[in-house]
Amino acid sequence: MDRFRDKIIPVTTLLAGLVVLWYVFAVIMNAPVQRDMDRRAGEDPRFSEFIGKTLAQAKPTLPAPHQVATNFFENTFTRKITSNRSLVYHAWVTLSSTLLGFAFGTVLGILIAVGIVHFIALDRSLMPWIIASQTIPILAIAPMVVVVFAAIGVTGLLPKALISTYLSFFPVAVGMVKGLRSPEILYLDLMHTYNASASQTFWKLRVPASVPYLFASMKVAVAASLVGAIVAELPTGAVAGIGAKLLAGAYYSQTIDIWSALVAGSVVAVLLVTLVGVAGRIVERSMGGRPA
Amino acid sequence: MQPAHSNTVIEASKLGLTFQTSDGPVRALSDVDLSIGKGEFVSFIGPSGCGKTTFLRVIADLERPTSGSISINGMSPQQAREARAYGYVFQAAALFPWRTIENNVALPLEIMGISRDERKARIKRTLDLVNLSGFEKKYPWQLSGGMQQRASIARALAFDADLLLMDEPFGALDEIVRDHLNEQLLKLWGQTNKTICFVTHSIPEAVYLSTRIVVMSPRPGRVTDVIESTLPRERPLDIRESPEFLAIAARVRDGLRAGHSYDD
Ligand SMILES: Nc1ncnc2c1ncn2[C@@H]1O[C@H](COP(=O)(O)OP(=O)(O)OP(=O)(O)O)[C@@H](O)[C@H]1O
Ligand SMILES: [Mg+2]
């Protein structure tokens, strides 16, 4: 009941407001084209009729919410999931490279963090490169990676996954460095009094202390992975995936398709972030975390 | 002076430690001569910043002295630490939040490579000793502050070192809990014949617990007085109203004042 009052009501109110705003903008943005079409057809519709038409164009400048919803619903639930028109199919293609890239990125990020925390030399030499790597725009790198891999005969999942890796290792590395360094001096002193070895301190203190940091950074990393996978599909002329769907939509001015592909992308993003969050909560609970 | 012990645990002579800070050197310890025998209960008392913690940390090999010498069981602090000669109880309980109470007590035992069965037996024994039986599976946040501190004492006791270093272990607890823990600590000391170095700010606590009270004074941190207790080893709580107790407490207070430590 409290949850209802505290969360659901404000969220639905906000959402309803946004939808209304969206309709207003759809009318405003589609009106010039509609007026043009009406003039050419020699029609002079009444105001209410005109509004209805602006919200029912085949290739609107800004599709109305119900158009996107219908398209999304049809392409998600009424098509065979193996069909090229199914959003589930495209989402799955993107999701699989996102997950592969995210797994690589998480492992790579953790390895880099462990290296940085354990070897001072790495901290000095590696960190600037890692930060520099993230300043290169992904849009510049993605085609190069894809082309280079295609040249050696590797296409499909792997090059896309690598771009996800490229985007996702960074938050994990930064988060894990912070997490592995999070134990206070007091705890390190305690381990010192036991004459604990570096690896004992690592496994019994640093690793468990870093778990909350790991999951927080994995949430960022999984979203970045998805962006990476979608971006990787854009320059490659990929035939499948949410990115390919966006590109095809843009090519044929299928604005409604673009929007429903965007919705599909957001749904996948929300799902992934939620999943990581839930996994994090389960792990922390099993480590004696205080229920919030 | 203290009668010569056949069995000296800690021997410090001309011990000094100067920290180099950005505001210049800080002499945390200067010319400390002290000898602590086996089975003694020695309290360190003095105003903030007089080097009590620093002295304990030097014994524990958490700080290196800059002058003089110190030995623990005839070894250097580092050798003593490597031989796991002492258990250290910090002011904060410092339990690992992701470990249950029994697993917290098991931590040093795991590090020291003690077998699972032996670990179990020792956990049971030490948790009994600090009256925490029944709380094995609880996490630290489910325990009160006093219980957490007892768990941290159990952890320090678990590997059965003969020397116990305690830095204001009951400083953050209320008086009633503190009285109770003092009583338990004395009982434990009586049962085990361990040597205990105990830092406190409380005169009654120091007098109640100790066989000897070391009074310290700051800038530079040094020992200004060492007071032998004449109280018997068996000490019920109400011994604190006895004239003998009050006399010792008065001497400690005088010692603190003589170090004119509370002037500034
Ligand atoms: N790591 C350090 N670096 C620099 N100065 C330090 C360090 N540790 C302690 N000191 C200084 O050494 C002096 C003694 O500190 P210490 O912590 O031993 O005092 P204490 O007697 O334990 O005080 P309290 O009763 O407040 O715990 C203080 O002046 C303190 O500022
Ligand atoms: Mg102190």
Side-chain angles (χ1 to χ4, degrees):
Chain A
M1 203 58 218
D2 275 351
R3 190 183 155 74
F4 185 75
R5 202 173 331 120
D6 294 346
K7 270 196 156 157
I8 303 195
I9 291 184
V11 168
T12 12
T13 315
L14 190 72
L15 220 58
L18 282 177
V19 168
V20 169
L21 214 63
W22 188 351
Y23 270 111
V24 171
F25 272 101
V27 170
I28 294 172
M29 300 208 40
N30 297 334
V33 175
Q34 191 60 46
R35 236 174 270 129
D36 240 27
M37 289 197 298
D38 287 345
R39 193 169 334 112
R40 244 172 279 157
E43 284 174 18
D44 189 13
R46 275 175 299 123
F47 181 69
S48 61
E49 214 175 314
F50 178 76
I51 298 283
K53 276 175 160 180
T54 59
L55 297 178
Q57 295 174 353
K59 294 182 176 182
T61 312
L62 177 61
H66 69 267
Q67 290 179 294
V68 176
T70 316
N71 181 296
F72 180 79
F73 183 84
E74 278 175 1
N75 291 331
T76 304
F77 298 106
T78 64
R79 312 222 182 265
K80 271 222 289 279
I81 57 166
T82 49
S83 147
N84 182 31
R85 302 208 53 188
S86 165
L87 273 174
V88 177
Y89 166 71
H90 289 285
W92 168 249
V93 169
T94 303
L95 182 68
S96 53
S97 78
T98 300
L99 288 178
L100 187 65
F102 172 61
F104 283 165
T106 304
V107 172
L108 182 65
I110 291 174
L111 289 180
I112 288 173
V114 171
I116 285 177
V117 169
H118 271 255
F119 306 103
I120 298 162
L122 275 187
D123 188 10
R124 301 237 179 83
S125 58
L126 209 56
M127 213 48 183
W129 286 104
I130 293 174
I131 292 169
S133 79
Q134 298 299 307
T135 62
I136 305 169
I138 185 67
L139 275 172
I141 287 203
M144 289 194 308
V145 172
V146 173
V147 167
V148 166
F149 271 88
I152 57 168
V154 180
T155 52
L157 194 62
L158 195 64
K160 286 198 319 188
L162 282 182
I163 288 161
S164 292
T165 303
Y166 177 82
L167 286 185
S168 60
F169 87 91
F170 182 70
V172 173
V174 171
M176 276 303 277
V177 166
K178 207 170 162 209
L180 291 171
R181 285 189 178 150
S182 66
E184 289 170 40
I185 304 265
L186 177 62
Y187 292 91
L188 293 168
D189 279 350
L190 182 73
M191 295 301 269
H192 194 63
T193 68
Y194 299 147
N195 195 29
S197 68
S199 83
Q200 284 170 330
T201 304
F202 179 77
W203 288 110
K204 292 186 191 297
L205 176 58
R206 292 190 189 276
V207 168
S210 72
V211 166
Y213 293 82
L214 175 64
F215 280 99
S217 58
M218 272 166 68
K219 267 194 207 174
V220 179
V222 81
S225 279
L226 180 65
V227 171
I230 292 176
V231 168
E233 286 161 356
L234 292 179
T236 58
V239 285
I242 292 175
K245 199 77 181 136
L246 287 173
L247 202 64
Y251 196 76
Y252 300 109
S253 315
Q254 297 290 354
T255 39
I256 302 180
D257 277 357
I258 297 181
W259 279 85
S260 78
L262 277 180
V263 171
S266 326
V267 170
V268 173
V270 168
L271 263 161
L272 286 173
V273 173
T274 312
L275 225 61
V276 172
V278 169
R281 227 165 307 146
I282 290 172
V283 170
E284 274 170 44
R285 190 66 58 84
S286 77
M287 287 173 67
R290 190 187 203 128
Chain B
M1 276 287 7
Q2 175 70 12
H5 275 272
S6 58
N7 225 336
T8 309
V9 176
I10 295 169
E11 180 80 67
S13 78
K14 298 251 164 290
L15 186 75
L17 196 161
T18 305
F19 288 109
Q20 299 301 336
T21 70
S22 49
D23 307 330
V26 175
R27 289 168 73 193
L29 289 174
S30 151
D31 272 337
V32 173
D33 290 306
L34 196 67
S35 155
I36 297 173
K38 181 151 179 51
E40 276 198 83
F41 196 129
V42 180
S43 284
F44 295 82
I45 194 166
S48 196
C50 68
K52 306 180 296 288
T53 298
T54 306
F55 186 62
L56 243 54
R57 289 175 63 86
V58 168
I59 299 173
D61 191 35
L62 293 170
E63 307 284 358
R64 291 275 151 86
T66 48
S67 63
S69 69
I70 184 160
S71 70
I72 294 104
N73 297 330
M75 295 180 278
S76 73
Q78 186 182 342
Q79 288 167 332
R81 177 174 63 81
E82 283 164 4
R84 278 115 181 194
Y86 65 84
Y88 200 117
V89 180
F90 295 87
Q91 179 163 6
L95 300 171
F96 288 11
W98 54 83
R99 282 177 173 250
T100 57
I101 295 306
E102 61 178 359
N103 286 338
N104 266 291
V105 177
L107 175 72
L109 305 177
E110 288 170 18
I111 290 171
M112 293 168 196
I114 288 165
S115 75
R116 181 177 288 271
D117 288 342
E118 176 69 16
R119 283 207 302 259
K120 258 190 154 154
R122 290 204 191 185
I123 290 165
K124 182 166 173 12
R125 182 154 22 101
T126 45
L127 283 181
D128 274 350
L129 219 53
V130 297
N131 270 339
L132 275 180
S133 316
F135 293 92
E136 291 86 355
K137 307 282 182 215
K138 298 272 190 240
Y139 283 96
W141 62 267
Q142 295 170 302
L143 268 58
S144 71
M147 291 160 97
Q148 289 182 20
Q149 197 51 277
R150 278 186 297 181
S152 93
I153 292 170
R155 182 178 59 184
L157 291 172
F159 54 100
D160 217 15
D162 289 329
L163 175 60
L164 212 50
L165 307 172
M166 308 178 89
D167 190 358
E168 294 188 54
F170 310 136
L173 306 176
D174 69 66
E175 198 114 5
I176 295 164
V177 176
R178 187 181 233 197
D179 278 356
H180 183 60
L181 292 183
N182 279 343
E183 234 183 332
Q184 286 186 322
L185 182 61
L186 258 192
K187 211 164 95 199
L188 194 142
W189 173 68
Q191 285 168 1
T192 56
N193 196 37
K194 287 184 191 304
T195 311
I196 299 182
C197 295
F198 188 95
V199 170
T200 180
H201 272 128
S202 152
I203 296 175
E205 187 173 64
V207 176
Y208 177 65
L209 292 171
S210 322
T211 56
R212 211 146 47 114
I213 298 152
V214 176
V215 181
M216 296 178 73
S217 139
R219 281 174 298 269
R222 64 198 185 278
V223 174
T224 49
D225 203 357
V226 178
I227 295 158
E228 294 283 337
S229 175
T230 49
L231 296 175
R233 273 181 82 104
E234 280 292 321
R235 301 172 185 182
L237 263 181
D238 54 22
I239 202 170
R240 293 182 300 181
E241 271 104 66
S242 72
E244 202 179 358
F245 183 98
L246 297 174
I248 299 170
R251 275 202 58 197
V252 175
R253 191 167 290 111
D254 286 346
L256 283 169
R257 207 168 289 143
H260 55 171
S261 9
Y262 287 113
D263 288 357
D264 41 352

